[in-house]
Amino acid sequence: MTTHAFHLPDVGEGVAEAEIDRWYVAVGDRVEEDQLLVSVLTDKATLDIPSPVAGTVTELAAAVGEIVAVGSELVQFQTGDDETTLSSTPKTSAVPGPPATATSSELRLSTTSAEVGTPAIAFSIAAGAATEGRTRPTGTGRQVSVTSPEPSPAHRRVLASPAVRRAAADAGIDLRRLASGSGPVGQVTHADLRAFADAPTTQAPALPRRTQVTDVPVTGIRRAIGRQMATSNSRIPHITLVEEVDVTSLESLRVRLNGKQEDVRQRLTPLAFLVRALVLAVGDHPVVNARFDDDEQVVHRYAGVHVGLATQTDDGLKVPVLRHAETMDLWAVARLIEDRSRAARDGSVSHADMGGSTITVSSLGALGGIANTPIINHPEVAIIGVNSMQVRPHWDGQQFVPRKKMNLSSSFDHRVVDGWHAAVFLHRFKELLEEPALMFVEGA
Amino acid sequence: MCDVLVLGGGPGGYTAAIRAGQLGLDTVLVEAGPPGGTCLTVGCIPSKALLHAADEFARIAEVAATDDGRLGIRVTTPPTVDLAETIAWKDQLVSGLTSGVERLLKRAGVRLINGWGVMLDGKTVSVTPGGEGSRTQVVRAQRVVLATGSRSRDVAGLPVGDRILSSTEALALDHVPAAIVVVGGGYIGLELGTAFAKFGSQVTVVETADRVLPGVEAELAQPVRQGLSRLGVEILTSAQVESFDEDSRVARVRTGEETSDVKADVVLVAVGRDPATSGWGLEGLDLDRDGPFVRVDQQCRTSMRDVFAIGDLTRGPLLAHRAMAQGQMVAEVMAGKKRSWDQTCVPAVVYTDPEIVTVGITVSEARTTGLDVLVGDFPLDASGRARTEGDTSGMVRLVAREDNHLIIGAHAVGRHVSELTAGLTLAIEMCARLEDVVGTIHAHPTRGEAIQEAALIALGRGLHA
């Protein structure tokens, strides 16, 4: 059983809106695909609109005489096996929002379509205003607008007394532009018009004001992340060094290795190489592979490299750990990265695999920008931020050539890692990445 | 060349002209008859005048007929009515009103040309005046408002003539017919039928639908049907008048397979009105049409630039107050103001006995669109004022949204309820909620209190019912 929202399709000929002429169906009717739903009037013609699906009508989004914009919601259906229960309680699919289920190829064009709080439908403003503009994001059912059987003009979709409508017209204010009115049923008042007219001119008057405030409690993982971030931020004085790495050779190797596998042993991502190189680099610079117990004022330098992978999940940021990454070859690293990320995302990652990292890598892949200031995962002393890979011009001594570049934005705990230490470490890291052969040659 | 030419001096046309004049536009109004149009001369006003006279007569006749003299009043001889005198009185009040309109036009600086106008092109009219010695004038204008109104619809086989009348002729009879067959059970037929029934005619109403007033909700039409029945009006539904023999004065009525003969001195054809689209050059203008009407947008603009159409020429309820509101809007648009048709509702009144008022959404309309509503019905039988007037039929109904109590519909049936329309329409336009009505003191004793009572009932806490 799914909710299907049908939007007014593009009726062509440059028509942007149409007036509901008559409904052929009512709420609760079972309709077949192609069955006529509604007749609409445009400047050019009267058109009958057939149903895109078979289902039961749960909502008619506009009344006879109302004008709807192409792309705005017209009818809601309940499709699927169980269509017998029609309640007005919230459905699982959120009603406001982009028409992801629109069957028409034209997406919503108008900005005043049916989002809660926008004036597209007169009486729904009234309902929204009754709850003082605050909602819990639970996907409430939408109200149906009702207007008199007279052909509906533009302004009548917004509640306002006749004098207010005149005043708005005289002031050149299209009442549809006001997100809602402050009157008890959401009607626009003279005061609202004055406030609208007085709004700062930097704000384009044509754009609707949004008064919706959504309250999202910070609990669970989100709260834990927040606390950890606050701790890192307050206890660790960060320095961030940004280094540009030429990954042309690395990428060439990676692609070649991926292409070479007859049966795919393991797909290699750039991150796998990064972790491999990181392990080697920290081997030479143990100062960055450590956990600083600042209460006891002791830095625990680890011989083993436990790499934390900052992973974005639906619940927020999680950091699964590759323990003893120094024992893994490239393939094992790649495989484990994949396993851990997936486990973190689907929530199956075990407690043992979280925590205990000695250095963390944070990569947003293509979304990684060109530089950032990552926050160290307390009580570690370093975090490697990986920015996006881009082709940039590189001066080779004689001309500019295109090379694949990738920045590393890395933060360090300046209490125990000086800039020099960080720079030298990064230099080694960069060396390994730019000349990948060095990663795999013994003693290089 | 003038700024504005208005073709047709009915309520739409003269209102547009007066407003345009007030706004400083050089305006010409062309009207073949006296200003006021159908409404003033052969429609709203004359019919209400006749209804008033009929009502007075019927009251006196009722007092005379009842031996016990309910109010303690006695009339020893039953009253008589000389309809020609009644009509003369009506004509006088109509002419008073039309000269009133002429004065208003003059005061607003509008030039009134008396004559039949024919549009030569979108901005030019040729006016052929009646009267001796006056010659055809041609007037050019920058903007034109077409307000030619509507005409009574004909029925095949019943051409208006000696004894077959439209409402126009019925409002000019010089005697009360002994028997009338009214073709059409809509508001015009029933209003006039009521008037003649009160004057003493035997009235038979023949309606093709399965009930009279087919457009009115059942609960509102019911007291009217009872009222008609009390007046001795016979109502034939799902029926049709096939023919009328003027010599034998018999109308043949078909109901399904059967036919019956009904005596009639006069047949009144009242099956509706159609926009008046011929005889004034509309064909030559090539304007977009909407069925029989001229198609207009929210500003009453036609498909031709600077040509507007208002009133019965456009689709919508054929009501004078709609035409007047359009006329005002159009004048303001022509004067450069930003206006569009933004009324929330257009009220409608039927002047039967009892009267019917509808404004806004009906309960069945709300159901069709799946809107949850609260409904409050207050029976006028529980109204003190209604009782003091000796007429308690009917009720007042308010329809409000269930979620926020916004009043979206108001309906009433009962004596004098037409006077409640103003308050009801205002409430809806002002976005009143049930609580606003409840919180407003309604004077006692009035029928208007029923509005507050209906609001209380809708909230589930009726006081007097």
Side-chain angles (χ1 to χ4, degrees):
Chain A
M1 184 163 72
T2 51
T3 302
H4 183 100
F6 175 51
H7 299 255
L8 180 64
D10 183 9
V11 295
E13 299 189 59
V15 168
E17 55 189 20
E19 180 185 312
I20 305 286
D21 184 38
R22 69 179 269 235
W23 285 104
Y24 295 121
V25 300
V27 172
D29 284 354
R30 162 121 186 98
V31 301
E32 298 306 317
E33 195 175 327
D34 287 337
Q35 182 177 336
L36 292 182
L37 291 178
V38 62
S39 163
V40 300
L41 295 170
T42 68
D43 289 338
K44 319 247 181 199
T46 303
L47 306 162
D48 283 332
I49 310 244
S51 176
V53 293
T56 306
V57 177
T58 55
E59 246 177 55
L60 300 177
V64 169
E66 257 213 56
I67 297 186
V68 288
V70 166
S72 60
E73 189 162 316
L74 204 53
V75 183
Q76 262 204 21
F77 298 97
Q78 198 77 347
T79 59
D81 292 334
D82 182 14
E83 296 156 14
T84 53
T85 51
L86 273 187
S87 65
S88 58
T89 53
K91 306 283 185 241
T92 51
S93 60
V95 172
T101 54
T103 55
S104 79
S105 58
E106 304 295 322
L107 288 182
R108 170 171 50 140
L109 305 173
S110 159
T111 56
T112 58
S113 81
E115 293 175 4
V116 177
T118 62
I121 296 185
F123 292 89
S124 72
I125 299 171
T131 58
E132 287 158 31
R134 284 179 177 264
T135 60
R136 300 271 159 198
T138 55
T140 52
R142 270 193 24 254
Q143 297 299 333
V144 171
S145 161
V146 180
T147 51
S148 99
E150 271 278 271
S152 166
H155 282 214
R156 221 153 45 74
R157 285 198 262 144
V158 179
L159 288 181
S161 75
V164 170
R165 289 186 221 129
R166 288 291 175 282
D170 285 336
I173 298 174
D174 184 336
L175 283 175
R176 287 177 295 185
R177 300 291 182 218
L178 272 75
S180 69
S182 63
V185 282
Q187 71 265 48
V188 177
T189 63
H190 289 285
D192 292 331
L193 288 184
R194 272 196 299 275
F196 186 84
D198 290 343
T201 48
T202 49
Q203 176 191 28
L207 300 171
R209 188 187 311 168
R210 282 180 254 201
T211 54
Q212 202 72 349
V213 178
T214 307
D215 295 336
V216 181
V218 176
T219 56
I221 293 180
R222 193 74 249 160
R223 194 136 133 208
I225 295 170
R227 272 204 300 260
Q228 177 69 350
M229 289 294 168
T231 302
S232 295
N233 195 47
S234 62
R235 291 172 106 160
I236 306 177
H238 285 58
I239 41 162
T240 302
L241 280 73
V242 182
E243 184 59 84
E244 183 180 71
V245 180
D246 188 328
V247 294
T248 311
S249 305
L250 184 69
E251 275 295 283
S252 165
L253 173 63
R254 182 181 76 82
V255 167
R256 207 144 160 258
L257 287 171
N258 278 339
K260 218 166 127 48
Q261 305 171 49
E262 266 146 23
D263 52 301
V264 178
R265 192 177 357 165
Q266 174 60 50
R267 205 175 141 268
L268 297 168
T269 62
L271 191 58
F273 286 88
L274 266 159
V275 170
R276 188 76 200 112
L278 180 65
V279 166
L280 295 170
V282 305
D284 300 328
H285 300 275
V287 64
V288 300
N289 189 49
R291 291 165 74 85
F292 180 25
D293 182 342
D294 45 11
D295 291 323
E296 299 297 318
Q297 288 295 300
V298 175
V299 177
H300 302 286
R301 290 191 185 181
Y302 286 76
V305 186
H306 310 304
V307 180
L309 290 171
T311 307
Q312 189 62 30
T313 71
D314 289 339
D315 296 326
L317 179 63
K318 290 185 191 164
V319 189
V321 180
L322 309 183
R323 297 192 62 77
H324 289 292
E326 75 279 6
T327 63
M328 302 172 196
D329 67 12
L330 185 63
W331 306 104
V333 166
R335 187 167 39 252
L336 202 55
I337 288 175
E338 202 179 282
D339 288 346
R340 289 280 186 270
S341 305
R342 190 183 337 111
R345 285 199 193 97
D346 66 26
S348 65
V349 63
S350 73
H351 191 72
D353 294 331
M354 302 268 280
S357 45
T358 55
I359 188 166
T360 297
V361 175
S362 173
S363 170
L364 283 170
L367 292 173
I370 54 171
N372 59 329
T373 54
I375 297 180
I376 293 168
N377 191 12
H378 183 272
E380 293 157 37
V381 301
I383 180 168
I384 312 298
V386 183
N387 303 118
S388 64
M389 201 181 296
Q390 298 168 352
V391 173
R392 295 190 206 136
H394 171 86
W395 182 251
D396 69 359
Q398 290 181 325
Q399 61 181 335
F400 279 106
V401 294
R403 301 284 290 180
K404 275 198 188 133
K405 303 286 187 115
M406 187 176 75
N407 286 357
L408 296 174
S409 303
S410 309
S411 298
F412 302 86
D413 184 338
H414 210 324
R415 296 173 295 179
V416 296
V417 180
D418 289 336
W420 185 84
H421 294 130
V424 169
F425 156 70
L426 283 175
H427 185 82
R428 173 63 176 154
F429 192 14
K430 173 175 153 133
E431 184 185 49
L432 291 167
L433 290 171
E434 293 193 332
E435 189 76 73
L438 295 175
M439 277 193 246
F440 305 103
V441 171
E442 304 83 347
Chain B
M1 170 85 115
C2 61
D3 290 330
V4 174
L5 166 72
V6 180
L7 185 66
Y14 80 67
T15 303
I18 291 174
R19 189 74 185 112
Q22 284 176 344
L23 291 167
L25 297 171
D26 178 22
T27 307
V28 170
L29 175 64
V30 173
E31 167 58 49
T38 296
C39 163
L40 259 185
T41 59
V42 295
C44 322
I45 300 298
S47 61
K48 275 67 222 172
L50 197 67
L51 278 164
H52 169 69
D55 196 47
E56 298 277 81
F57 178 80
R59 294 201 158 277
I60 302 169
E62 197 195 336
V63 169
T66 49
D67 270 342
D68 63 356
R70 271 181 320 142
L71 295 169
I73 302 170
R74 289 197 165 65
V75 174
T76 46
T77 46
T80 59
V81 61
D82 179 345
L83 196 62
E85 277 188 47
T86 314
I87 296 297
W89 162 76
K90 176 266 291 177
D91 289 340
Q92 200 176 28
L93 78 85
V94 165
S95 94
L97 285 170
T98 58
S99 30
V101 172
E102 278 176 18
R103 272 197 303 278
L104 292 170
L105 287 164
K106 196 160 169 188
R107 190 178 69 176
V110 176
R111 253 184 305 153
L112 174 61
I113 301 181
N114 192 242
W116 184 265
V118 173
M119 301 300 293
L120 298 178
D121 64 39
K123 305 294 187 307
T124 315
V125 70
S126 154
V127 187
T128 307
E132 307 251 345
S134 32
R135 46 188 179 75
T136 303
Q137 286 184 58
V138 170
V139 180
R140 278 199 62 81
Q142 288 208 317
R143 301 178 201 80
V144 168
V145 180
L146 302 171
T148 54
S150 58
R151 290 198 191 104
S152 194
R153 189 178 300 153
D154 294 325
V155 170
L158 298 173
V160 170
D162 271 338
R163 292 184 172 275
I164 301 179
L165 318 174
S166 74
S167 54
T168 305
E169 294 78 29
L171 292 165
L173 283 173
D174 60 4
H175 67 281
V176 177
I180 298 189
V181 162
V182 177
V183 182
Y187 72 90
I188 296 178
L190 291 189
E191 283 180 13
L192 289 173
T194 299
F196 285 106
K198 288 189 173 179
F199 278 132
S201 301
Q202 171 54 48
V203 177
T204 308
V205 174
V206 181
E207 165 62 47
T208 51
D210 61 0
R211 58 190 187 100
V212 289
L213 296 173
V216 175
E217 279 197 303
E219 299 98 338
L220 301 176
Q222 176 65 357
V224 173
R225 273 203 298 281
Q226 285 166 344
L228 288 166
S229 167
R230 267 199 303 275
L231 286 172
V233 172
E234 178 131 10
I235 299 178
L236 303 174
T237 52
S238 303
Q240 207 169 332
V241 174
E242 273 191 340
S243 61
F244 175 62
D245 188 329
E246 297 215 3
D247 297 323
S248 61
R249 310 228 189 132
V250 163
R252 171 142 298 176
V253 179
R254 171 174 294 281
T255 311
E257 294 301 317
E258 299 174 4
T259 60
S260 56
D261 287 342
V262 180
K263 276 213 309 236
D265 294 290
V266 148
V267 170
L268 167 60
V269 174
V271 296
R273 295 179 68 84
D274 293 320
T277 51
S278 59
W280 53 270
L282 175 60
E283 319 72 35
L285 297 182
D286 199 26
L287 300 177
D288 284 356
R289 303 292 285 274
D290 174 6
F293 303 98
V294 171
R295 182 180 284 278
V296 292
D297 67 5
Q298 306 295 1
Q299 292 187 310
C300 284
R301 288 182 192 275
T302 65
S303 56
M304 187 182 296
R305 211 162 108 85
D306 286 336
V307 174
F308 300 79
I310 59 175
D312 289 359
L313 195 54
T314 66
R315 183 180 292 277
L318 305 180
L319 296 169
H321 42 264
R322 181 178 79 107
M324 289 195 263
Q326 287 176 317
Q328 287 239 42
M329 175 186 74
V330 153
E332 294 182 356
V333 168
M334 291 190 295
K337 293 184 191 279
K338 293 190 181 60
R339 292 285 180 265
S340 64
W341 186 256
D342 61 2
Q343 299 349 74
T344 302
C345 46
V346 176
V349 181
V350 179
Y351 293 85
T352 44
D353 184 2
E355 295 174 337
I356 304 173
V357 160
T358 60
V359 195
I361 306 293
T362 62
V363 175
S364 39
E365 278 160 3
R367 288 218 183 93
T368 310
T369 41
L371 184 68
D372 288 326
V373 291
L374 299 172
V375 181
D377 288 348
F378 180 76
L380 285 169
D381 190 51
S383 158
R385 177 69 173 143
R387 294 212 172 198
T388 64
E389 293 179 319
D391 189 326
T392 59
S393 71
M395 63 160 184
V396 172
R397 163 180 289 177
L398 287 186
V399 182
R401 281 180 63 111
E402 187 176 358
D403 54 6
N404 60 8
H405 298 175
L406 180 73
I407 299 173
I408 56 175
H411 314 277
V413 55
R415 194 165 177 78
H416 296 327
V417 294
S418 55
E419 296 301 343
L420 303 184
T421 320
L424 296 172
T425 314
L426 184 64
I428 295 178
E429 289 284 359
M430 292 300 296
C431 309
R433 292 182 295 179
L434 294 170
E435 288 78 0
D436 291 311
V437 170
V438 168
T440 301
I441 298 179
H442 286 58
H444 174 84
T446 61
R447 284 176 184 264
E449 288 174 87
I451 302 172
Q452 189 182 37
E453 291 293 329
L456 286 166
I457 291 171
L459 288 170
R461 53 185 183 100
L463 204 58
H464 288 90

